Amino acid sequence: NDDCRFCDPGYFCDQEGVVNQEDFPCKPGYYCSGQGLPPRKCPAGRMSPVNHLAVSSYDCLPCSPGRYCPEPIGKLVNIDGIECPLGYECPGGTRIAMKCRAGFVCNQQGMASGEVCPEGYFCPEGTKAISDDLKCDFPFFCPKASSTPQPCDLGFGPKEHSDLRTSKNDSCSICLSGSYRNTYDAEACSPCEPGYFCP
């Protein structure tokens, strides 16, 4: 019939004899460009949480921070995304949950960004929680945001103390005259050997 019109963008008239297109808004997770074209799923990294929101893939919103929106395969539809799991971080628009960056800790679900690893500890990639296993032990030290334990510089010897090993200043001391340290494996400065002079 020449009097029938195509559904407007944001709607999909998927039945015969439709009177009001407003009864057929585009469903969450989809975008509808109108002209009788079928709904399309919002792409990875984007979502459509309410009816009639999107008329093109660009109208689908970026996935919310703390959630990720994967490739919509099979029955999967990106309505409001999937909560970021423990040990991962999901900034806005994330397609795949990313392992917590080295030097950070992701100790809650739904984190958009990890928290900086505290001083005295080290946080490798994917750290879920601060524990004694990640505590910096002698002869190393760990400033804030450490991904691995740090050795004292050559020419400096590690100092033992009972506090958290947080910085070079509190955990290392320069080798005194008459001693040296030329390898990171050495846990102390060594006396200068016969035939050499260590000022």
Side-chain angles (χ1 to χ4, degrees):
N1 188 320
D2 291 339
D3 293 333
C4 293
R5 300 171 46 208
F6 283 122
C7 258
D8 291 333
Y11 297 91
F12 176 60
C13 305
D14 61 350
Q15 297 179 19
E16 294 181 355
V18 171
V19 176
N20 292 313
Q21 67 175 3
E22 287 76 12
D23 294 333
F24 299 91
C26 201
K27 294 179 181 177
Y30 292 85
Y31 65 93
C32 300
S33 57
Q35 298 298 307
L37 297 173
R40 303 280 305 271
K41 292 180 179 179
C42 287
R46 292 185 169 268
M47 63 182 194
S48 179
V50 296
N51 283 343
H52 190 224
L53 173 68
V55 299
S56 76
S57 61
Y58 299 105
D59 293 319
C60 294
L61 303 173
C63 203
S64 299
R67 305 183 79 81
Y68 68 99
C69 297
E71 195 68 42
I73 298 171
K75 295 183 178 180
L76 179 65
V77 179
N78 290 321
I79 295 173
D80 58 2
I82 301 168
E83 188 173 47
C84 208
L86 199 65
Y88 289 79
E89 53 189 345
C90 300
T94 298
R95 299 167 180 236
I96 301 170
M98 300 177 292
K99 274 191 174 180
C100 201
R101 292 164 290 161
F104 291 79
V105 57
C106 298
N107 55 6
Q108 299 173 39
Q109 291 182 322
M111 293 190 77
S113 181
E115 297 175 354
V116 175
C117 193
E119 58 184 8
Y121 296 86
F122 64 98
C123 298
E125 185 183 54
T127 298
K128 298 177 182 178
I130 299 300
S131 65
D132 285 343
D133 292 343
L134 300 176
K135 190 175 180 181
C136 229
D137 292 324
F138 179 86
F140 302 100
F141 65 93
C142 294
K144 192 179 287 187
S146 291
S147 58
T148 58
Q150 305 295 310
C152 292
D153 292 339
L154 299 181
F156 288 76
K159 292 192 298 187
E160 291 201 58
H161 58 80
S162 57
D163 297 330
L164 286 174
R165 302 182 65 81
T166 59
S167 72
K168 189 184 300 184
N169 288 340
D170 66 24
S171 298
C172 307
S173 58
I174 194 166
C175 292
L176 298 176
S177 180
S179 66
Y180 73 102
R181 180 172 173 264
N182 65 352
T183 173
Y184 292 116
D185 295 333
E187 294 189 358
C189 297
S190 302
C192 206
E193 297 175 8
Y196 296 90
F197 171 61
C198 302

